[in-house]
Amino acid sequence: MRPDSLATRARLIAAAEQLFADRGIDAVSMNEVQRAAGQKNKSALQYHFGTKEQLLQAILEKHTPGIELRRHRLLDGVEAAGTLDLRALMEALVLPVAEKLDDPDGGRAYLAIFGQIVGGPRTSTFWNDARLGNRGADRLQRLLLRVVPGLPAPVRMARYLLVTELLFHGLSDFGRLVTSDPQLFPPSARELFVSNLVDVLTAVASAEVSGQTRALLPPHVTATADAADGTNETP
């Protein structure tokens, strides 16, 4: 792609990031993105991205590689320690994303946009794409299964969704607070917030499955989970 074409694409992504983060994905039209990017050529946005979903995917792809590289490095350290620690695994989840708070190239906008996607009508579309291309998250999930074994699959998937929502909504909201009044949130406050977020997500991941919740699971799911835990007493 020619340098001028790459520059146009980058301007369109930057304009979309800001508009989607500030006003919401569904409240912004493609024409507004084009105008905000200073593009008089009405076909520029369609040429580079085609649809709003493809534009959103381009925003995610802009930020994901750096997050994944950082996560792999943290997971390398966790595995090199020889003992898998749940909180360390949660740090590998949180820290690469939290660092987007300091990324001047759309980092806080990315947090706000992903927060809108998670749990929204676009979740299924982007969730499948993210799982296929997100090797660091896949590796993290496999390690978590070794630390917290025996969780029934429906409970495990619900917790993963909760953890992801808390991660992105929490960091996005904190980013807005920092932007609105930086003096109230010095680096020490940010470190405390992130560390506390890791604590909360660790607690979510490791919470005991209550009898009330197990009673709502299909019998075959409960039996499978109990067998994995070594607690299935059925002869």
Side-chain angles (χ1 to χ4, degrees), residues 98-145:
E99 288 166 3
K100 283 293 168 181
L101 290 168
D102 299 314
D103 179 2
D105 188 15
R108 293 185 186 179
Y110 163 78
L111 295 173
I113 291 167
F114 204 99
Q116 294 175 56
I117 291 172
V118 176
R122 294 180 174 85
T123 298
S124 59
T125 300
F126 287 95
W127 196 265
N128 290 333
D129 291 342
R131 292 188 68 189
L132 288 173
N134 200 328
R135 300 305 178 193
D138 180 66
R139 179 185 178 189
L140 177 59
Q141 287 186 62
R142 286 186 279 107
L143 291 173
L144 284 171
L145 281 174

Side-chain angles (χ1 to χ4, degrees), residues 58 79 87 91 127 147 153 159 171 180 196 200 208 213:
E79 291 195 278
R87 193 181 189 282
E91 283 187 337
W127 196 265
V147 178
R159 288 190 184 183
L171 289 173
S180 64
N196 190 47
V200 169
E208 182 180 353
T213 298

